[in-house]
Amino acid sequence: MKNKLLVLKSFLFIFGINSAVFASPASYLDSDPGARPAGMGSAFTGLSDDGNAPIFNPAGLTNMGLNQFEASASVGILTQDRLHNFLSASQQLPPKSYLGFDIIQYGVNNIDGRDVNGLPTANLQDIELALAASYAYEISYQFKVGVRSSFLYQNLAGANSHGFGGVDVGLIVIPSVLYDFTLGACIHHLGGFLAWDTGSTESLSPDLRLGFSQKFFGQTLILAYDAEWPMQSNFNIIHHAGVEWWTQKFLAFRGGWDQNDPTAGISLRYLNYSLDYSFRFESNNLGNSQRITLNFSL
């Protein structure tokens, strides 16, 4: 079984999400499943003001504004039989606390199975789940903090693993009430691991993100930037940049740059509902990806 898993993991190395690869366990946790941040080049750590906040910066749960409840559902339209879906729900706990829950599903179907000698076997699949809870607290208007932790499950061709996605610790700083400028920071996967039923255990690599967002013209135009450091690398910084423009109260356009890949998106808003769409031009030979997200707030 250990040899079988080794062969499968080597094969899955090329089946990364977006520009990431399976260089570390549960690497899908570092790719955004939501259409809005995906359309902005995944530059969302400083912004983090909707149902995608727990993924990037749990402190962003404090940005719910007048809403007391928010929910999001995202579906990924990916090539190579990949799945990447997301559900989230957030609830305000007056006066200054916020609670969130989310589920991420990732997987690859119809994997070309090979034995240790490289000979074809039956098709296989990889199913991965992350069940997470988040908590945020607004210390003041200028300082917000948040934490998130997750339970992980993976089934790789019949071999199972359970684990802990680690603790994500986030911070949002608003330097002045006079400007719509926000700074954000979040470190992900502290203490994370996956334990396989074969007896092996894999550690998750921490990931650090620093970002900012600036809003202009009555918050109708947003510029955002993230610098991401996968801490297992030799200080290899991944750059994310994006823009969002609300041309009307019900219509927004987005564009961005995620490391080597351009991204684009659009949103439609009606009352308490919004529908987001994103398109990403992939440079990793996996084919372009699309995402659709439905949001609801009360």
Side-chain angles (χ1 to χ4, degrees):
M1 176 61 74
K2 290 184 179 180
N3 288 336
K4 180 180 179 181
L5 281 178
L6 180 61
V7 171
L8 282 171
K9 289 178 181 178
S10 298
F11 181 82
L12 283 173
F13 187 84
I14 66 171
F15 271 94
I17 310 172
N18 300 334
S19 61
V21 293
F22 273 79
S24 61
S27 61
Y28 67 95
L29 297 176
D30 295 321
S31 295
D32 54 300
R36 184 180 177 215
M40 298 179 69
S42 297
F44 212 68
T45 302
L47 187 56
S48 294
D49 61 354
D50 64 12
N52 298 284
I55 303 296
F56 288 86
N57 188 348
L61 288 173
T62 60
N63 289 324
M64 291 176 63
L66 298 177
N67 299 327
Q68 292 187 330
F69 175 81
E70 291 185 356
S72 296
S74 296
V75 176
I77 305 173
L78 311 178
T79 60
Q80 306 287 352
D81 289 310
R82 293 173 296 156
L83 307 171
H84 196 197
N85 304 317
F86 173 63
L87 289 172
S88 73
S90 308
Q91 176 67 50
Q92 186 177 12
L93 304 176
K96 295 184 176 182
S97 296
Y98 300 80
L99 187 64
F101 298 94
D102 63 84
I103 302 174
I104 302 175
Q105 178 198 31
Y106 177 73
V108 183
N109 292 320
N110 299 319
I111 301 171
D112 184 17
R114 300 279 173 168
D115 62 20
V116 293
N117 297 315
L119 299 176
T121 63
N123 283 352
L124 309 171
Q125 66 176 2
D126 173 52
I127 298 297
E128 305 186 45
L129 293 172
L131 311 177
S134 305
Y135 174 79
Y137 184 76
E138 184 176 12
I139 299 174
S140 67
Y141 177 81
Q142 285 81 20
F143 296 97
K144 297 99 177 281
V145 295
V147 295
R148 177 179 180 266
S149 61
S150 56
F151 167 80
L152 305 181
Y153 168 78
Q154 183 174 359
N155 183 300
L156 178 56
N160 296 307
S161 69
H162 299 80
F164 178 52
V167 176
D168 304 344
V169 181
L171 171 69
I172 285 180
V173 178
I174 302 175
S176 172
V177 298
L178 300 179
Y179 304 99
D180 288 318
F181 179 74
T182 303
L183 295 169
C186 189
I187 186 168
H188 302 264
H189 319 315
L190 292 173
F193 67 90
L194 270 177
W196 291 88
D197 56 11
T198 59
S200 64
T201 300
E202 299 176 291
S203 296
L204 274 62
S205 176
D207 181 86
L208 175 64
R209 277 185 179 245
L210 304 174
F212 73 84
S213 69
Q214 175 68 63
K215 299 178 181 179
F216 301 93
F217 309 120
Q219 301 186 355
T220 59
L221 178 66
I222 302 174
L223 302 180
Y225 170 78
D226 276 15
E228 178 185 3
W229 176 32
M231 298 177 69
Q232 86 279 9
S233 68
N234 295 324
F235 210 72
N236 179 32
I237 303 299
I238 301 173
H239 301 280
H240 310 268
V243 59
E244 178 179 82
W245 178 34
W246 284 91
T247 61
Q248 304 290 334
K249 290 184 178 180
F250 61 89
L251 178 64
F253 295 95
R254 300 185 183 91
W257 194 266
D258 188 354
Q259 194 175 10
N260 299 316
D261 301 325
T263 66
I266 189 172
S267 281
L268 296 173
R269 179 188 292 169
Y270 177 73
L271 297 178
N272 295 332
Y273 299 88
S274 65
L275 183 66
D276 306 329
Y277 169 82
S278 71
F279 187 91
R280 179 188 171 98
F281 299 87
E282 304 280 8
S283 62
N284 55 14
N285 299 320
L286 290 179
N288 300 326
S289 63
Q290 304 173 73
R291 287 178 169 82
I292 299 173
T293 302
L294 178 63
N295 305 286
F296 171 73
S297 61
L298 286 176

